[in-house]
Amino acid sequence: MTVGLDELKRRLGGFAADQAAGVSPLYEHLAASAAGDDEVAGLLLAAPDEHAGAPLLLAAAHRLVQADPVHPLSRYYPSLGGFDGVDGATWPLFREFLLDRAERAREIIATRRVETNEVGRAAGIYPAVAAAAKQAGGKVALLEAGCAAGLLLGLDRFGYRYQCDGGEQLVAGPAKAAVGLHCALDLAPGAVLPKLPKKLAVTAKVGLDSEPVDSSDEEELAWLEACVWADQLDRIRQLRVAAAAQRK
């Protein structure tokens, strides 16, 4: 069943209200405005039904702004050095920019899918993998399904700093890791901090994906960055550092 325009507009509005609200003023504003605009929302008609939504539209727009960083719209994109907050000119400028590049936008929307290479997830995974390795006698293999560029498969080479409410800190992973992740811990009453190893003995790494991403390809890496929300600079920085570490 083909997704119609009304459903696309509903998805855009839902994203603005349920996911972007209170998290990303820029994406909340753009998605909410697109939900009331037939032409902009209609660009998503080029997408496969399962991918047609605000994240794909906003990622496509982000990629186009990346390719034209001197355009005035870039001043609203912190990922490109912009520091202007949402104002009365944001939506008109975004709308004009995107519709002027409608053909290219449709091409991206039709051929790409949103890739969520969230490197920060490794901070939540590392303790579980360490526990599994201990139970297995010290060695473990990693298998990631839906790996995209496989950046999480480098979790054994990341550094971790866990911060507890009481001020205690737990440090894990290699001491001189290129990728450093910070994570807040909310311990239950009476809970004891776990002991985490500085090093994991990983014997094999395998990533599975229907469309694997080569992070050494600059165009592919640019798309991965475009899929990160433009005002989440820490996520973009972590992605770049992890990709560089992987290439080495």
Side-chain angles (χ1 to χ4, degrees):
M1 180 179 178
T2 302
V3 176
L5 183 59
D6 288 343
E7 171 61 16
L8 293 173
K9 293 167 69 175
R10 186 195 68 77
R11 291 181 183 184
L12 287 162
F15 173 87
D18 301 333
Q19 298 183 49
V23 178
S24 172
L26 175 63
Y27 277 26
E28 178 185 5
H29 175 68
L30 295 178
S33 299
D37 190 298
D38 288 359
E39 287 188 85
V40 174
L43 294 173
L44 283 169
L45 291 171
D49 290 355
E50 66 272 22
H51 300 308
L56 182 56
L57 178 70
L58 294 170
H62 194 182
R63 181 68 192 99
L64 291 171
V65 181
Q66 285 178 338
D68 191 2
V70 299
H71 191 279
L73 182 61
S74 66
R75 72 174 188 262
Y76 297 105
Y77 278 72
S79 59
L80 297 170
F83 52 82
D84 285 10
V86 172
D87 57 31
T90 307
W91 172 250
L93 195 59
F94 177 89
R95 185 180 190 277
E96 179 184 25
F97 174 86
L98 197 55
L99 293 180
D100 282 349
R101 296 158 180 78
E103 184 176 348
R104 176 60 180 140
R106 290 192 188 94
E107 179 186 349
I108 295 173
I109 289 169
T111 58
R112 290 288 192 179
R113 63 176 181 173
V114 175
E115 302 285 359
T116 53
N117 276 230
E118 177 44 70
V119 179
R121 291 174 181 165
I125 298 171
Y126 186 84
V129 174
K134 184 178 180 180
Q135 292 179 12
K139 295 181 179 180
V140 68
L142 303 179
L143 169 63
E144 184 182 6
C147 65
L151 299 183
L152 283 178
L153 289 171
L155 64 84
D156 58 311
R157 298 192 300 271
F158 300 166
Y160 304 90
R161 186 176 297 276
Y162 298 90
Q163 181 72 46
C164 301
D165 289 341
E168 295 179 277
Q169 286 191 350
L170 178 63
V171 178
K176 296 182 179 181
V179 179
L181 302 177
H182 296 260
C183 181
L185 288 182
D186 184 10
L187 295 179
V192 179
L193 282 174
K195 294 182 179 180
L196 296 179
K198 297 291 185 182
K199 183 178 180 181
L200 286 177
V202 177
T203 60
K205 298 181 181 184
V206 177
L208 301 177
D209 200 284
S210 59
E211 298 178 35
V213 177
D214 181 3
S215 63
S216 66
D217 183 306
E218 289 301 322
E219 179 60 32
E220 295 298 302
L221 182 59
W223 175 246
L224 291 181
E225 292 183 10
C227 290
V228 181
W229 295 8
D231 44 14
Q232 296 182 342
L233 298 182
D234 283 346
R235 288 183 61 193
I236 293 176
R237 178 187 58 79
Q238 288 175 353
L239 172 67
R240 289 173 178 168
V241 173
Q246 185 192 66
R247 286 196 294 272
K248 291 181 180 179

